[in-house]
Amino acid sequence: MEFLYASEVLVNGLMAGVMYSLVALGFVLIYKASGVFNYAQGVMALFAAMTLVGIMEGRVPFAHLINAAFGTHVSSFGWTVPALLGIALTALVMVGLGIAIEKLVLKHLVGQEPIILFMATIGLAWFLEGLGDVMWGADVKTLDVGLPQGISETAETLTNDWLGYGFFIDRLDIWAAVIAALLVAALVGFSQYTKQGRAMRAVADDHQAALSVGISLQFIWIMVWSIAGFVALVAGIMWGTKSGVQFSLSLIALKALPVLMLGGFTSIPGAIVGGLIIGMGEKLFEYFVGPLVGGATENWFAYVLALLFLVFRPQGLFGERIIERV
């Protein structure tokens, strides 16, 4: 029976890992195109989720500022928007955000050191977080796009028939796993087998060299930031549905760091594998070792594992080993 319970912990850990991987995917895309870690990816997921809630509930953007400036009491347009239409409109907003980032920030930093781009993404993160609060309010929001939630009776019945023990698996986690698999397959195909995907990798290697062979840096950055914005929207939907749309949602970026260190900063499949390892490892470690050390090992297990990888395999499981001759 203990083996079956540990198996249930393992399965739930893998499901949690998929949720981490959805955030890590956005980091990988930006890194492959610009060679810099995008600190703002977690906040982009928060901003996308806040925007989706605002659109679906018919909220008036910047209502607090409007009311303060004109003495009004507006808060809503008085209508609601269906989930699919809300997702489509939010995706357009994230594409527009990607275009704005390229126009206002990135095009002024072509050829700069990676640390400069990294610092720019830190500033972008704080700006987006403040913009989201001003636009939609800082209150905790409930997000419901119609995804099934709660314990899956099908999974419980099947595992009970096969193993004599019913697994408790959240239906939202199952949907997240399916969506993540489809998203990864699409991104891998795009990166490996399309002209734009190859151009994206060339830009990551050397901005100036890419420009010299006719690759439009502006187009690539707009494209990649738009795709990363869409990935952030998917992650925001999953995490927002699971735990509510609130400030802590942006902190999932911190858990994505160990995922990237394990999978490799340049590998889309590595983001998924790294997430699965982190999710599975932290749940099993908490189950077997947590009681011996007082619990709460999920708070630090991922970072210790990432530290070991940095020492013994800094490029990650799927990352590229880069050798520079000097």
Side-chain angles (χ1 to χ4, degrees):
M1 182 60 70
E2 182 174 350
F3 170 76
L4 292 175
Y5 186 71
S7 300
E8 181 183 352
V9 172
L10 171 64
V11 172
N12 279 280
L14 292 174
M15 296 295 182
V18 170
M19 302 287 276
Y20 298 147
S21 299
L22 284 174
V23 183
L25 279 174
F27 288 102
V28 170
L29 287 171
I30 299 298
Y31 192 85
K32 285 174 73 70
S34 64
V36 68
F37 176 77
N38 175 29
Y39 185 83
Q41 187 65 29
V43 181
M44 288 174 64
L46 171 63
F47 182 81
M50 294 176 72
T51 301
L52 178 57
V53 173
I55 291 175
M56 288 179 61
E57 294 182 355
R59 297 191 181 194
V60 177
F62 303 105
H64 295 291
L65 289 180
I66 295 173
N67 293 335
F70 301 101
T72 56
H73 296 86
V74 300
S75 61
S76 173
F77 289 111
W79 66 66
T80 58
V81 175
L84 289 178
L85 178 58
I87 292 173
L89 292 174
T90 305
L92 291 177
V93 171
M94 298 308 292
V95 170
L97 178 63
I99 295 174
I101 289 172
E102 194 283 328
K103 295 288 187 182
L104 300 177
V105 180
L106 296 181
K107 79 173 185 179
H108 302 291
L109 300 176
V110 175
Q112 296 293 327
E113 295 293 327
I115 186 62
I116 302 298
L117 289 167
F118 174 66
M119 295 301 294
T121 66
I122 293 178
L124 179 63
W126 290 109
F127 171 78
L128 286 178
E129 188 171 316
L131 179 63
D133 288 343
V134 172
M135 284 184 66
W136 307 111
D139 56 305
V140 179
K141 303 169 181 62
T142 300
L143 176 59
D144 183 8
V145 296
L147 290 175
Q149 298 184 61
I151 301 301
S152 172
E153 297 178 357
T154 302
E156 183 182 2
T157 301
L158 289 175
T159 53
N160 189 58
D161 291 342
W162 293 345
L163 305 173
Y165 178 85
F167 283 13
F168 291 93
I169 303 174
D170 194 319
R171 286 182 290 178
L172 178 63
D173 291 339
I174 297 175
W175 273 89
V178 173
I179 291 172
L182 295 175
L183 196 58
V184 169
L187 290 174
V188 169
F190 173 80
S191 177
Q192 299 295 330
Y193 303 110
T194 67
K195 180 180 178 181
Q196 291 79 10
R198 291 190 292 270
M200 180 178 69
R201 299 201 304 274
V203 169
D205 289 338
D206 192 315
H207 294 171
Q208 297 298 338
L211 286 170
S212 69
V213 296
I215 296 175
S216 172
L217 196 63
Q218 178 184 20
F219 171 76
I220 294 298
W221 272 354
I222 288 177
M223 177 189 70
V224 171
W225 277 84
S226 299
I227 295 174
F230 178 76
V231 173
L233 171 59
V234 175
I237 290 173
M238 296 304 170
W239 280 99
T241 302
K242 189 178 184 70
S243 56
V245 180
Q246 52 189 316
F247 169 76
S248 60
L249 193 152
S250 66
L251 300 180
I252 58 176
L254 299 178
K255 188 57 72 74
L257 282 172
V259 172
L260 293 169
M261 293 174 188
L262 264 66
F265 278 82
T266 60
S267 173
I268 292 174
I272 295 297
V273 174
L276 296 178
I277 292 175
I278 292 294
M280 173 185 64
E282 68 180 12
K283 296 295 183 183
L284 289 176
F285 194 83
E286 175 68 24
Y287 175 68
F288 288 109
V289 182
L292 303 178
V293 296
T297 62
E298 290 186 44
N299 295 329
W300 52 262
F301 171 82
Y303 302 99
V304 173
L305 184 59
L307 179 61
L308 293 175
F309 265 76
L310 285 176
V311 172
F312 297 105
R313 190 177 174 82
Q315 75 271 23
L317 293 174
F318 296 89
E320 300 173 357
R321 183 187 295 272
I322 299 176
I323 300 175
E324 295 185 358
R325 300 184 184 277
V326 296

